Amino acid sequence: MSQPPPPPPPNEPPQGGFGAPQDPPPGGFGAPQDPPPGGFGAPQAPPPGGFGAPQPPQGPGYGYPQAPPQGPPPGPPAQPGYGYPGQQPAQPPGAPYGYGYPQQPPTYPTQPQVPQGGGGGRKPNSQVVIIVAAVAAVALIIGGGVWYASSGKDDSKNNSSGTSGGTGGKGGSGGDRTTGSTGKEKVPANTRSTVLFQVPAPAVPAETSVSTVGSWLTDKVYAKSGDAEINGYDPDSGAKVWTIKLPGPVCTASRHTTDSGRTAIVYEPAMPTKAKPSHGCSEVSALDLAAGKLLWTKSVKSGDQKISLDNVTTSANTVAVGSTNGGAAFDISTGKALWVPKPTDSCYDAGYGGGDKLVAVRKCGEYGSTRQLHIQTIDPTSGKVISEYKMSPGIEYASVVSTNPLVVAADVGDSAGDGSGISDFFSIDNKTGQLRTRISAPGKTYAAKCDGITRIESCAKLVVGNDKLYIPTEQHDGGQSGQINEIVAFDLGTGKQTGQRADAGDGYDISPLRMDGGNLLAYKRPPYDKGGQIVSIDGTSFKETKLLENPATGSVHDAETSMLPDYAEILYSKGHLYMSAIYAHKPYSASEKEYLAIAFGAQ
């Protein structure tokens, strides 16, 4: 039944915090670390008032920015860097502070009640001083079950040119009408969806939150991180097909998988306790999604101490991890160390972007001085630098949006002002390292988000494809509901808008998900009285085609709107939509239900 719209929420609080620690010098273990990662897309506290309610205008009305400068950007004065504009986000009362835990779980006004139906300086291992230690593999437990209903299927794999993606699968309902000459996604005979299955959130102690970052989709399995474990589910029924138990919670996970269904995770070596709320994110493992097992487990040491790893990605046959102590890489099949940090180097790899290519964000300069970021396309096997672009001194953090073509986001001079981590995008030539163009994207106008402080690939609501950057605008005046937004496209060669625009529709909020060939897939956050939608946007005409529309019933709507692009992982392929949370916490009352994941499928 239709429900009256909840009151409009206030704007989101800024991220970061004044007085947050500065980056430590590269090298010795025990130097002050960057803020702890909370996993890809780690949420900031969302505003109260309910998702889908009409939003107040954020800043000035929608407007296109002027053409960006075509030459290299001028060097801004030294700034404290992204992540320090406002007050520090509050930690949940009693929550364990440490790697693997989000800063603050959002509070939702209505909890879901889902029905059961319906680079340079890298040295090979012969020259390293750091010791790479192997850790015992974690036990594999097969079996178990999951609460589910109905049936359906999908498969999806993340894509270096988007924030989430899909391969194919045997599932998908009816219909043979395609969405375009270059797209693989077909329009189902009936685009109305039903709930395929739902996974209850793991039980966690009161006043704590646990990281559950990481979800992947292949032809055989939908895999999702839980509380110190990873579970594989049948993509149709949700039946649990395998479980991997871990000694501690998952801190961060690669959003890419290889063609053979392998990926990588970083996790803690033990469960947090009151006495020791964090053990550091020191363990990295390669994960075989088809077999449901860890291939190997490694750690990186500085002296006799393990390094806490901030981020992980995969490219070709390489797993790469970054930290404030430097980066390391391993062969995804064998776990053989390809390179590790060099403690005498004044530069260090803060992190990597993966997928089609491997890109390092390398920080150079002494601690306390104005430092410079080097964006390096590197050989994934040797770490040899193929090309390099040096960003203007004073830009402390950068996020890799795409590795092919190479696009980097940064908050230059902390000018975004909205906690998004983005004021500008840099389009860089992979082969030469030359800047192609710089795109101005004011935070008050555009809604994409990145967190390049430690999580180099942690970006949401933006996609690169067709040599274009697709980003959504903030909501602005328009439509009967009073608020509307759209996706716009920027040419990565010229930096100018192409004139293409995909409107969300009255009451919806549209965000790009991934590329489907030459087409763009997008998710539409629903208004209070409708279900969310997946649409395909033709890469040439920008014509929208609806692929899926979720139920508008209150319980399903509440579950869906608790897992939106800002705060969750979203995968779509062949008429199937998977939405999952990146943390778990105890429900705020006994009558409330929390979900780890929910799957929808076309009828």
Side-chain angles (χ1 to χ4, degrees):
M1 296 179 61
S2 298
Q3 302 176 6
N11 290 333
E12 291 184 17
Q15 300 180 2
F18 177 80
Q22 303 295 315
D23 281 346
F29 179 89
Q33 301 293 311
D34 273 44
F40 172 75
Q44 300 299 315
F51 290 101
Q55 305 291 317
Q58 300 186 29
Y62 170 77
Y64 298 116
Q66 300 297 316
Q70 300 299 309
Q79 299 288 339
Y82 165 64
Y84 304 90
Q87 67 182 34
Q88 183 77 15
Q91 190 76 4
Y97 178 81
Y99 290 93
Y101 293 88
Q103 290 296 316
Q104 183 175 359
T107 301
Y108 301 106
T110 306
Q111 296 301 320
Q113 304 290 329
V114 180
Q116 292 195 29
R122 301 172 195 83
K123 300 294 182 181
N125 19 357
S126 61
Q127 300 178 0
V128 301
V129 177
I130 307 298
I131 301 171
V132 181
V135 182
V138 187
L140 168 64
I141 301 178
I142 304 296
V146 65
W147 176 33
Y148 66 92
S150 173
S151 65
K153 161 128 189 193
D154 169 54
D155 305 291
S156 177
K157 182 172 71 175
N158 286 330
N159 183 310
S160 65
S161 59
T163 56
S164 58
T167 57
K170 66 183 180 182
S173 303
D176 58 3
R177 182 163 58 93
T178 61
T179 57
S181 59
T182 59
K184 295 182 179 179
E185 297 293 345
K186 296 181 179 180
V187 183
N190 186 347
T191 59
R192 296 179 62 184
S193 77
T194 58
V195 176
L196 300 179
F197 62 88
Q198 54 280 321
V199 182
V204 299
E207 298 185 338
T208 64
S209 58
V210 176
S211 173
T212 58
V213 63
S215 60
W216 308 269
L217 196 57
T218 73
D219 289 342
K220 303 294 184 183
V221 68
Y222 169 65
K224 174 61 188 169
S225 295
D227 183 10
E229 65 182 16
I230 299 174
N231 294 298
Y233 304 98
D234 180 274
D236 287 328
S237 66
K240 192 181 294 185
V241 294
W242 51 256
T243 296
I244 299 172
K245 292 291 185 179
L246 301 171
V250 176
C251 304
T252 186
S254 172
R255 61 188 181 89
H256 307 288
T257 58
T258 66
D259 291 340
S260 59
R262 293 176 174 180
T263 189
I265 57 173
V266 166
Y267 54 93
E268 292 193 47
M271 292 299 293
T273 63
K274 289 184 178 180
K276 192 169 185 179
S278 174
H279 295 270
C281 298
S282 59
E283 313 305 297
V284 55
S285 290
L287 172 63
D288 187 327
L289 297 172
K293 67 178 182 179
L294 298 183
L295 297 175
W296 47 261
T297 300
K298 301 285 185 178
S299 60
V300 183
K301 286 188 175 181
S302 176
D304 60 353
Q305 298 292 322
K306 291 182 179 181
I307 293 173
S308 281
L309 306 170
D310 297 332
N311 52 79
V312 62
T313 195
T314 54
S315 180
N317 203 44
T318 295
V319 174
V321 289
S323 73
T324 53
N325 291 90
F330 306 89
D331 183 281
I332 199 169
S333 299
T334 66
K336 176 185 176 183
L338 303 176
W339 66 83
V340 294
K342 185 181 179 183
T344 58
D345 200 342
S346 62
C347 297
Y348 67 94
D349 290 356
Y352 303 91
D356 288 349
K357 296 182 183 296
L358 187 60
V359 173
V361 176
R362 191 163 176 80
K363 186 170 288 191
C364 294
E366 297 296 332
Y367 177 63
S369 64
T370 299
R371 295 192 284 186
Q372 187 175 38
L373 297 181
H374 297 198
I375 309 300
Q376 300 176 334
T377 299
I378 61 178
D379 181 273
T381 301
S382 66
K384 179 181 178 181
V385 177
I386 298 171
S387 67
E388 178 179 77
Y389 171 71
K390 296 181 180 180
M391 302 192 76
S392 297
I395 301 177
E396 287 286 324
Y397 306 102
S399 300
V400 178
V401 177
S402 168
T403 62
N404 186 30
L406 177 54
V407 179
V408 172
D411 186 359
V412 180
D414 297 324
S415 59
D418 63 346
S420 66
I422 304 171
S423 67
D424 296 83
F425 293 94
F426 298 81
S427 174
I428 302 167
D429 188 293
N430 282 100
K431 295 181 180 179
T432 66
Q434 297 296 310
L435 180 69
R436 298 176 65 194
T437 191
R438 176 177 171 178
I439 299 171
S440 176
K444 291 184 178 181
T445 304
Y446 299 102
K449 295 183 178 182
C450 289
D451 178 5
I453 295 178
T454 56
R455 291 161 292 181
I456 301 303
E457 285 189 304
S458 180
C459 291
K461 303 171 70 172
L462 72 173
V463 167
V464 170
N466 298 329
D467 206 35
K468 297 180 179 68
L469 169 67
Y470 300 101
I471 55 176
T473 68
E474 293 283 5
Q475 287 203 329
H476 55 86
D477 292 341
Q480 294 181 356
S481 69
Q483 293 288 288
I484 196 171
N485 85 317
E486 45 275 317
I487 293 173
V488 296
F490 287 89
D491 188 291
L492 292 177
T494 66
K496 297 180 179 180
Q497 286 200 29
T498 64
Q500 296 168 311
R501 189 176 80 171
D503 295 326
D506 191 29
Y508 290 90
D509 185 280
I510 191 170
S511 301
L513 282 182
R514 66 170 175 90
M515 297 303 296
D516 172 33
N519 298 337
L520 175 67
L521 298 184
Y523 172 76
K524 288 187 176 183
R525 185 192 74 186
Y528 71 95
D529 59 347
K530 296 180 181 178
Q533 296 180 2
I534 297 292
V535 297
S536 176
I537 302 170
D538 186 275
T540 301
S541 68
F542 245 49
K543 177 183 177 182
E544 293 182 40
T545 301
K546 183 169 64 176
L547 301 179
L548 194 73
E549 182 168 13
N550 291 334
T553 55
S555 58
V556 176
H557 183 278
D558 290 343
E560 177 181 1
T561 53
S562 72
M563 297 182 182
L564 295 177
D566 293 272
Y567 316 114
E569 297 165 342
I570 300 178
L571 302 174
Y572 176 84
S573 182
K574 291 193 174 181
H576 292 70
L577 173 64
Y578 299 82
M579 309 177 77
S580 64
I582 60 175
Y583 67 91
H585 65 89
K586 188 178 180 64
Y588 298 108
S589 72
S591 62
E592 296 170 351
K593 292 182 179 179
E594 297 284 343
Y595 295 94
L596 180 64
I598 182 170
F600 299 92
Q603 297 182 20

